[in-house]
């Protein structure tokens, strides 16, 4: 931005106190578990470096998807262990992992071969992933014993943490949870000696239905909870604080006669004389284009419905029932007044997608 000038009022306010509070809550829930703060995808859209700062005191390691995300944290001066949840994509990454103390997940044969054949200055801490039923990444349970032996006998490897990932941890009654946990416990019983394990994401950590066993030997990997969202269906709300407040100003207001349509495709039609406010946020900012009519937007103390197709830079909302409204008033797309979970439900997506897709052109303001 030339001369550092910066005017756009549309913004995402990031509450670093809320991040800190949520990390403390995660720490409490984790008990004697070690805690990995998952800050992949730019800290779920909140800014990885800023999130890493905010949660620093509560977590024992950071988790990211791939090495570039980890190096950004090293460049910013963080010295904590960082786990690469997708592992390495090429053998060229291994010396970089060793040098920067990055801990790759090993989930398939090519990654294993690369480590076994590498010549490294320092041994790696690796995470061995078992596929206990999600069928996305990981070695088959019956392979784990042999693979972990190979890793343990390899001079390039300093430690091995066996891990797995649940497919349905957010649904406490889902039968696959028990099956995955049983398979994982079998795998862990067969790998010797007893070592640290990691199965739980946020949902599994919060699930009372999943008995993860002795916590002292475990790592919990928690992401979404840090940002203020409980991903489970439990009734009792956790005292988490939303960390992101997405805001856009009203940039125009107009009266629309009954029978007139609003926006691309004319797919919202006024059934009465209506007032329409246009807000300066659109799908290029990460507000989903497929958000249907009626999706709630918080404006001047009430929820108003989206009216018309989401444009690239703008949306339109029906403010007929709003008493006070002026150009320049600010709408909250989600945040403390309108839970991102409620918006996600209306849009038929999940909170993770809404948060991570807030695009680069939306400035983050930290407080
Ligand atoms: C992203 C991720 C997590 C964090 O999941 P949340 O539901 O956000 O807590 C944990 N484990 C793995 C392997 C992941 O990829």
């Amino acid at each position: 931005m030339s001369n550092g000038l910066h005017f756009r009022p549309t913004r995402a306010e990031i509450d670093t106190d809320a991040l800190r509070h949520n990390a403390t809550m995660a720490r409490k829930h984790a008990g004697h578990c070690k805690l990995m703060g998952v800050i992949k995808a730019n800290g779920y859209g909140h800014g990885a470096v800023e999130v890493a700062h905010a949660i620093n005191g509560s977590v024992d390691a950071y988790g990211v998807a791939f090495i570039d995300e980890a190096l950004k944290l090293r460049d910013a001066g963080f010295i904590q262990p960082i786990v690469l949840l997708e592992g390495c994509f090429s053998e060229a990454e291994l010396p970089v992992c060793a040098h920067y103390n990055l801990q790759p997940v090993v989930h398939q044969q090519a990654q294993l071969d690369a480590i076994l054949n590498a010549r490294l200055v320092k041994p790696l801490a690796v995470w061995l992933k078992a596929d206990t039923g999600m069928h996305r990444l990981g070695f088959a349970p019956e392979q784990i014993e042999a693979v972990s032996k190979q890793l343990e006998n390899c001079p390039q490897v300093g430690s091995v943490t066996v891990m797995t990932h649940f497919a349905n941890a957010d649904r406490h009654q889902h039968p696959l949870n028990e099956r995955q946990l049983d398979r994982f416990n079998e795998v862990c019983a067969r790998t010797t000696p007893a070592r640290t394990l990691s199965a739980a994401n946020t949902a599994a950590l919060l699930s009372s239905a999943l008995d993860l066993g002795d916590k002292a030997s475990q790592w919990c990997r928690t992401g979404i909870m840090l940002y203020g969202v409980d991903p489970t269906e439990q009734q009792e709300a956790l005292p988490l604080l939303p960390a992101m407040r997405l805001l856009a100003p009203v940039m125009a207001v107009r009266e629309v006669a009954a029978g007139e349509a609003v926006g691309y495709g004319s797919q919202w039609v006024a059934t009465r004389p209506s007032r329409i406010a246009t807000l300066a946020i659109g799908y290029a900012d990460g507000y989903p284009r497929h958000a249907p009519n009626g999706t709630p937007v918080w404006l001047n103390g009430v929820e108003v419905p989206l009216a018309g197709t989401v444009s690239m830079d703008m949306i339109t909302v029906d403010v007929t029932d709003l008493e006070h409204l002026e150009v320049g008033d600010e709408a909250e797309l989600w945040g403390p007044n309108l839970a991102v979970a409620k918006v996600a439900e209306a849009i038929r997506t999940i909170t993770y997608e809404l948060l991570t897709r807030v695009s680069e052109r939306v400035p983050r303001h930290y407080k």
Side-chain angles (χ1 to χ4, degrees):
M1 266 160 266
S2 55
N3 304 317
L5 293 176
H6 170 212
F7 296 101
R8 194 179 191 206
T10 302
R11 66 194 181 278
E13 288 181 353
I14 308 298
D15 182 345
T16 53
D17 287 337
L19 291 166
R20 213 167 284 119
H21 166 88
N22 298 334
T24 306
M25 290 292 302
R27 175 76 271 166
K28 251 190 220 157
H29 272 268
H32 294 295
C33 278
K34 288 197 182 140
L35 193 62
M36 182 194 302
V38 179
I39 56 174
K40 62 194 177 188
N42 196 29
Y44 288 38
H46 296 66
V49 167
E50 290 81 359
V51 175
H53 266 296
I55 68 173
N56 207 351
S58 295
V59 300
D60 305 292
Y62 298 118
V64 298
F66 46 82
I67 194 167
D68 301 44
E69 291 186 330
L71 292 174
K72 225 177 118 185
L73 294 170
R74 287 288 179 258
D75 286 346
F78 292 96
I79 57 169
Q80 291 84 347
I82 304 177
V83 179
L84 312 181
L85 293 167
E86 295 184 336
C88 293
F89 289 81
S90 79
E91 58 201 27
E93 296 174 32
L94 291 173
V96 183
C97 286
H99 180 75
Y100 287 102
N101 185 26
L102 310 179
Q103 307 185 357
V105 166
V106 180
H107 61 74
Q108 50 114 330
Q109 190 65 39
Q111 292 174 326
L112 175 65
D113 293 342
I115 288 174
L116 297 178
N117 295 324
R119 292 288 163 266
L120 303 173
V121 288
K122 276 186 283 182
L124 288 175
V126 302
W127 295 59
L128 172 56
K129 188 160 194 172
D131 178 5
T132 55
M134 182 156 176
H135 303 319
R136 186 180 61 176
L137 290 183
F139 289 91
E142 53 276 16
Q143 294 178 285
I144 293 294
E145 192 176 355
V147 174
S148 71
K149 283 215 176 84
Q150 280 182 286
L151 286 169
E152 264 153 30
N153 294 332
C154 171
Q156 338 296 341
V157 174
S159 69
V160 182
T161 302
V162 181
M163 68 178 290
T164 196
H165 195 56
F166 290 107
N168 297 286
D170 55 332
R171 297 155 72 195
H172 289 178
Q173 298 314 317
H174 199 286
L176 187 58
N177 292 331
E178 247 355 275
R179 272 212 320 273
Q180 286 196 260
L181 190 58
D182 287 347
R183 286 178 189 154
F184 188 57
N185 285 334
E186 274 170 43
V187 161
C188 294
R190 268 187 274 123
T191 55
T192 52
R195 63 164 73 76
T196 44
L197 315 168
S198 180
N201 55 5
T202 295
L205 172 64
L206 297 177
S207 168
S208 47
L210 274 177
D211 179 10
L212 298 165
D214 171 30
K215 286 195 160 180
S217 59
Q218 294 188 31
W219 278 89
C220 292
R221 311 184 301 265
T222 184
I224 196 73
M225 182 181 182
L226 300 172
Y227 309 100
V229 177
D230 178 353
T232 65
E233 15 176 61
Q234 63 195 356
Q235 297 302 308
E236 220 177 295
L238 283 177
L240 299 173
L241 301 173
M244 181 189 290
R245 183 170 192 229
L246 184 62
L247 295 163
V250 173
M251 54 189 290
V253 182
R254 75 202 54 253
E255 306 295 329
V256 172
E260 292 289 312
V262 171
Y264 286 121
S266 302
Q267 57 91 14
W268 186 89
V269 180
T271 55
R272 57 178 175 170
S274 301
R275 192 176 313 121
I276 293 293
T278 303
L279 310 181
I281 192 162
Y283 62 78
D285 301 301
Y287 194 88
R289 186 177 176 279
H290 71 273
N293 288 333
T295 301
V297 171
W298 188 88
L299 185 51
N300 289 358
V302 299
E303 287 174 20
V304 294
L306 189 70
T309 308
V310 172
S311 303
M312 187 184 292
D313 315 302
M314 288 170 267
I315 60 174
T316 38
V317 293
D318 178 2
V319 294
T320 313
D321 297 327
L322 251 191
E323 277 184 25
H324 303 287
L325 184 73
E326 285 175 33
V327 168
D329 287 352
E330 290 195 315
E332 179 179 303
L333 289 314
W334 55 75
N337 299 294
L338 176 59
V340 66
K342 184 171 182 181
V343 180
E345 197 183 337
I347 300 181
R348 290 183 206 289
T349 180
I350 56 173
T351 57
Y352 298 72
E353 187 177 18
L354 293 182
L355 295 174
T356 55
R357 286 183 65 174
V358 174
S359 69
E360 225 179 303
R361 79 171 187 174
V362 177
R364 270 62 165 181
H365 292 203
Y366 293 90
K367 59 173 182 102

